[in-house]
Amino acid sequence: MTAGAVPAGRAAPPDRPAAPERRGPATDAPADGRSAGQWGSGPLLLGVRHHGPGSARGVRAALDATRPACVLIEGPPEADGLLPLAADEEMRPPVALLAHAVDDPGRAAFWPFAEFSPEWVAIRWALAHGVAVRFIDLPAAHSLAAADATGDEVDEELRIDPIGELARTAGYDDPERWWEDVIELRGTTAPDDPTAPFAAVAEAMGALREAHGDGGHARDLIREAYMRLQLRTARKEFGDSVAVVCGAWHVPALARRTTVGADRALLKGLPKVKTETTWVPWTHRRLARRSGYGAGIDAPGWYGHLFAAPDRPVERWMTKVAGLLREEDRIVSSAHVIEAVRLAETLATMRGRPLAGLGETTDAVRAVMCDGSDVPLDLVRDRLVVGDVLGEVPADAPAVPLQRDLARLQRGLRLKPEAQERELELDLRKENDAARSRLLHRLRLLGIGWGEPVAGRGSTGTFRESWRLRWEPELHVRIAEAGVWGTTVDSAATAKAEARALEATALAEVTALAEQCLLAGLGEALPVVMTALADRAALDSDVGHLAQALPALARSLRYGDVRATDTAALGEVAAGLAERICVGLPPACAGLDADAAAEMRGHLDAVHGALGLLPDSAERTDRWSGVLRRLADRDTVPGILRGRAARLLLDDGRLDEDEAARLMGLALSPGTAPADAAAWIEGFVGGAAGGGMILVHDERLLSLVDDWLTGVPGDTFTDVLPLLRRTFSAYEPGVRRTLGELVARGPSSTASRPEAGTPGFAASLDEERADGVLPVLRLLLGHDEPEGADR
């Protein structure tokens, strides 16, 4: 994309150097650019580093000193009509220009601006002084047309890293530290001529381009040709009283003497698409290079502080850090702040830096305020060095109708978008919380992932929902894409649900869609979804597909009860599926290999849980218990399914302990292959939460497992070991420890024949073992044992 532009929803490849997008300040070259001093020798070319506070201060000083009649800025010309909004009081950076193809909203790009971006400073200066301001980069109509559907440009070569080259020439091994020393920590203004620093770096950029050609970046040549044409147009109107703010790498090209014909020839035949542009909020986190933004910076929060601090930036920064750590209940005093400032300044002196930079302040904070720990330091990096600042745009900024409806709903529900991740607990019995839930579910159906459902920390009832919310700038692109479905969130979600129902081919997909419609309160879409559901259910005879579909229907019936939704039609379909599963499951479980059996076990658990959510039906419950019993008794059914069926029956009280022990004894008999026996054990005691507790409380079953395991031949033991490890490693540490102690102690004399009604316990009290507990009880209760007491 264009310099400073970020493909929407697409991270730059990790091997793409960010430095080419980090332009160092530069000025005019001798041909068409003006030399420092007076107007009349060419336009003022101010080469900058995108999102560089030093460049931003320098641009402001240069514009104040030269007072141009027109300011040209690297950016998409389609956004010229949006520039006046930058002066609106409601506009608070970071913000970004968003351009997307009208026919394909997913093909989009952003041009971000922070408060400390030189381009933003130039825009605000021009608007404040009544000066003409325009964008002059290659139009987004061409840039987006040259990109594929994912936002990547085609056949782009990477230019050299100019900052890295200059840093290496200066003897630095860290380009970022060199830039801080030369620009950010010294300032960019000279007492006699604010344009002088730009001239110096422009000369360096010219030397780099002369040494390396034009960096091998063919796309740059096209962009620079367009910028030269725009510069010529502005000069015809304003003469040489024109200032250009662009990436420093482009300055030598803009100052180069070329013909109009040659520049137009480079632009001839470029593809073009119809585009729309608007302002959208951006975040400091998305300005960070680690987010994938090619022109990103390491520390947006730190740069914002350097730009905004009127004086004593190190002292002010340490005060911010201390405030953050105090909010997190860490003991940080004024003395800590003073000592941290002193240490940072000492480190800067030792390292030969003009002022303590981010490295020195970070080292000082770690040593003085964090006691050498990186844990609180990570909080400082996340909250301050990067930051969670979310910009704002005026309400009257252009937006698709869907965006306006969403903004209205957000205001009405008091659900403000925030850059920082937060959790939201909803009680669906409250009208406002129920409306919030419907909105978040509708957005998820539209592919707008503002919120993700999470497991609640409190009640697990159907009246509770927990969400994790985080607003990302890329969601604006998702909103633009979803705008094709409707002008409101409700109508768009309904239309998309109906379209998905008609297109779906898998039964489970339709049942999941029905669940989504109930959660989102899309009553108008349900008839279409239910028709599709009935059609797919009638045609699908695969038991696995039916088993996948039933849980979503059962949950839908449960949610419908909470939301007072008529789910009679869903109930009929669910009952029909349950009946067909009961008929088809036994033959479908015969003769399966290990992988298919493991998959069918998941279906078995899901169906068992789903049937428990359906309206009570004694006949259905008896029918399902009979199916499980047939599975448990059939030798042709894989061991993992026989064991699982036996365990489900035991848990439901449909199988007594003696019968469970008999089935286990048969499965673990010497005539059973060790692998099949191990699979039976996995089905019986593995997977489910608390599966191992049955062995803890029933020593008879544990003894059967122990006897079988000790009798496995050595040549086959290694074959069953991975299966057994997978089974027992899933247990809680306390359960594993208790099982180990029981096996080490060996079976009690009565373990094989416990009294009726007391499974897993001896017939009489073991006084010696009971006496061993008494000292611990006295210690817990705070009672001292009397000397000579009779225990």
Side-chain angles (χ1 to χ4, degrees):
M1 313 310 308
T2 60
V6 130
R10 181 79 173 179
D15 59 342
R16 172 173 292 185
E21 297 290 335
R22 307 193 305 267
R23 317 286 194 267
T27 187
D28 42 330
D32 281 341
R34 74 166 282 219
S35 56
Q38 66 271 41
W39 292 111
S41 56
L44 177 66
L45 304 181
L46 301 176
V48 300
R49 176 192 185 178
H50 301 300
H51 316 308
S55 291
R57 287 192 300 267
V59 165
R60 184 166 56 195
L63 294 177
D64 283 337
T66 57
R67 300 281 173 166
C70 177
V71 177
L72 305 180
I73 296 173
E74 182 182 332
E78 293 95 336
D80 282 352
L82 301 175
L83 283 170
L85 289 173
D88 195 296
E89 293 182 356
E90 296 182 15
M91 180 78 84
R92 293 185 178 89
V95 293
L97 286 168
L98 165 62
H100 65 84
V102 173
D103 296 332
D104 183 10
R107 184 178 297 188
F110 295 98
W111 284 260
F113 301 92
E115 184 181 11
F116 49 85
S117 300
E119 299 89 344
W120 180 258
V121 170
I123 292 171
R124 295 295 295 264
W125 184 93
L127 295 174
H129 291 81
V131 171
V133 56
R134 302 169 184 169
F135 286 121
I136 61 168
D137 204 349
L138 189 70
H142 297 307
S143 300
L144 296 177
D148 61 18
T150 64
D152 287 337
E153 288 200 347
V154 182
D155 297 329
E156 285 230 4
E157 302 176 21
L158 299 178
R159 67 167 71 85
I160 66 167
D161 177 356
I163 300 296
E165 290 291 325
L166 294 176
R168 282 191 291 272
T169 302
Y172 281 72
D173 58 358
D174 182 1
E176 197 71 22
R177 186 163 62 87
W178 174 81
W179 180 262
E180 275 201 342
D181 285 356
V182 173
I183 301 297
E184 306 303 345
L185 302 182
R186 293 186 185 275
T188 60
T189 60
D192 53 345
D193 184 4
T195 65
F198 293 102
V201 183
E203 183 178 354
M205 291 295 166
L208 285 175
R209 292 190 71 140
E210 183 177 351
H212 296 277
D214 284 314
H217 202 287
R219 195 70 181 166
D220 272 352
L221 301 180
I222 297 174
R223 294 174 51 210
E224 289 162 353
Y226 188 87
M227 286 192 273
R228 283 192 296 266
L229 291 174
Q230 297 302 102
L231 178 55
R232 288 187 180 96
T233 301
R235 292 182 69 183
K236 289 179 181 179
E237 185 176 353
F238 299 99
D240 285 340
S241 185
V242 176
V244 180
V245 180
C246 64
W249 179 257
H250 302 299
V251 169
L254 298 187
R256 183 182 304 156
R257 290 189 181 277
T258 61
T259 64
V260 173
D263 287 340
R264 287 178 176 170
L266 286 173
L267 300 171
K268 187 176 181 180
L270 289 180
K272 188 176 182 179
V273 295
K274 186 178 180 180
T275 62
E276 290 181 351
T277 58
T278 186
W279 287 107
V280 297
W282 200 252
T283 67
H284 272 183
R285 194 172 301 279
R286 294 301 297 158
L287 281 173
R289 184 175 300 115
R290 64 182 179 182
S291 72
Y293 174 30
I297 52 180
D298 289 329
W302 167 252
Y303 273 9
H305 170 78
L306 287 182
F307 183 72
D311 58 7
R312 305 176 73 86
V314 177
E315 290 86 342
R316 294 177 185 274
W317 178 257
M318 293 301 184
T319 303
K320 281 185 180 180
V321 173
L324 173 63
L325 295 177
R326 286 170 185 159
E327 290 175 0
E328 299 297 323
D329 295 328
R330 291 191 64 87
I331 300 175
V332 180
S333 66
S334 300
H336 285 91
V337 176
I338 295 171
E339 188 59 32
V341 171
R342 288 176 177 171
L343 178 56
E345 291 175 344
T346 300
L347 290 172
T349 301
M350 294 174 61
R351 295 171 181 175
R353 308 197 69 182
L355 185 71
L358 181 58
E360 289 69 38
T361 57
T362 300
D363 290 343
V365 167
R366 179 192 288 110
V368 178
M369 299 186 189
C370 300
D371 299 323
S373 172
D374 279 342
V375 175
L377 191 64
D378 286 341
L379 179 67
V380 175
R381 290 193 182 105
D382 186 65
R383 298 278 187 85
L384 293 182
V385 176
V386 176
D388 284 312
V389 179
L390 175 64
E392 297 180 16
V393 300
D396 56 351
V400 296
L402 183 63
Q403 172 68 66
R404 294 193 180 280
D405 183 62
L406 175 57
R408 178 186 61 81
L409 292 171
Q410 289 170 333
R411 289 192 299 269
L413 297 175
R414 298 187 298 279
L415 203 56
K416 183 179 179 180
E418 295 177 356
Q420 188 172 356
E421 184 175 279
R422 69 184 181 101
E423 289 195 5
L424 179 68
E425 300 287 337
L426 299 178
D427 184 344
L428 302 182
R429 293 168 294 186
K430 299 178 181 179
E431 183 178 350
N432 192 65
D433 281 5
R436 289 176 170 183
S437 171
R438 289 192 294 269
L439 173 62
L440 293 172
H441 280 295
R442 289 172 182 178
L443 292 178
R444 277 175 53 80
L445 195 149
L446 288 170
I448 303 170
W450 179 17
E452 288 290 332
V454 295
R457 291 172 294 183
S459 170
T460 58
T462 54
F463 289 103
R464 299 281 183 182
E465 273 188 359
S466 297
W467 291 82
R468 183 175 293 117
L469 304 182
R470 184 169 186 167
W471 188 266
E472 296 285 0
E474 287 82 356
L475 293 179
H476 290 282
V477 178
R478 305 285 82 81
I479 294 171
E481 289 180 304
V484 301
W485 296 105
T487 57
T488 66
V489 175
D490 185 7
S491 64
T494 298
K496 185 169 183 179
E498 293 174 347
R500 284 180 54 186
L502 296 175
E503 296 171 356
T505 56
L507 178 59
E509 184 180 350
V510 185
T511 55
L513 183 60
E515 181 181 10
Q516 285 182 295
C517 288
L518 282 172
L519 292 170
L522 300 177
E524 294 184 6
L526 271 178
V528 177
V529 175
M530 290 307 306
T531 300
L533 176 59
D535 293 343
R536 303 297 186 281
L539 296 175
D540 201 328
S541 59
D542 188 288
V543 174
H545 293 169
L546 301 178
Q548 283 181 308
L550 184 61
L553 280 180
R555 290 194 301 268
S556 299
L557 291 170
R558 192 182 187 204
Y559 295 140
D561 178 63
V562 174
R563 291 165 171 80
T565 305
D566 184 8
T567 56
L570 280 176
E572 293 179 3
V573 175
L577 288 182
E579 183 67 21
R580 293 170 62 189
I581 290 172
C582 289
V583 172
L585 189 61
C589 290
L592 299 178
D593 61 18
D595 292 338
E599 182 180 357
M600 187 61 76
R601 174 200 168 165
H603 295 328
L604 191 67
D605 284 340
V607 170
H608 186 77
L611 291 176
L613 297 177
L614 295 178
D616 292 337
S617 170
E619 183 180 353
R620 184 186 301 118
T621 302
D622 293 340
R623 182 76 177 272
W624 177 245
S625 297
V627 171
L628 293 178
R629 188 58 200 243
R630 288 198 297 275
L631 293 178
D633 290 337
R634 286 189 179 181
D635 293 338
T636 56
V637 174
I640 191 172
L641 296 178
R642 285 186 283 119
R644 194 66 193 144
R647 177 60 187 274
L648 293 176
L649 288 169
L650 180 64
D651 289 346
D652 283 351
R654 299 271 178 164
L655 189 72
D656 60 34
E657 289 81 358
D658 289 337
E659 182 64 11
R662 185 186 73 83
L663 291 175
M664 178 179 282
L666 291 174
L668 303 183
S669 64
T672 304
D676 195 38
W680 195 97
I681 293 175
E682 182 184 16
F684 189 80
V685 298
M693 291 301 295
I694 191 171
L695 298 181
V696 172
H697 292 293
D698 194 332
E699 292 189 34
R700 175 177 44 172
L701 297 181
L702 178 61
S703 178
L704 287 171
V705 174
D706 186 40
D707 290 343
W708 168 79
L709 188 58
T710 55
V712 173
D715 56 344
T716 58
F717 182 78
T718 55
D719 295 332
V720 301
L721 182 59
L723 190 61
L724 294 173
R725 289 189 62 180
R726 184 176 64 194
T727 300
F728 290 97
S729 64
Y731 293 166
E732 295 281 344
V735 173
R736 293 200 302 267
R737 182 174 60 250
T738 302
L739 289 176
E741 292 172 352
L742 291 174
V743 172
R745 190 195 66 205
S748 62
S749 59
T750 56
S752 58
R753 297 180 180 275
E755 291 291 324
T758 57
F761 296 92
S764 59
L765 177 66
D766 187 333
E767 294 187 3
E768 182 179 355
R769 293 180 63 194
D771 287 345
V773 178
L774 294 178
V776 178
L777 289 176
R778 290 193 179 94
L779 179 62
L780 293 175
L781 297 175
H783 295 296
D784 295 330
E785 183 178 356
E787 185 175 351
D790 185 6
R791 296 190 300 173

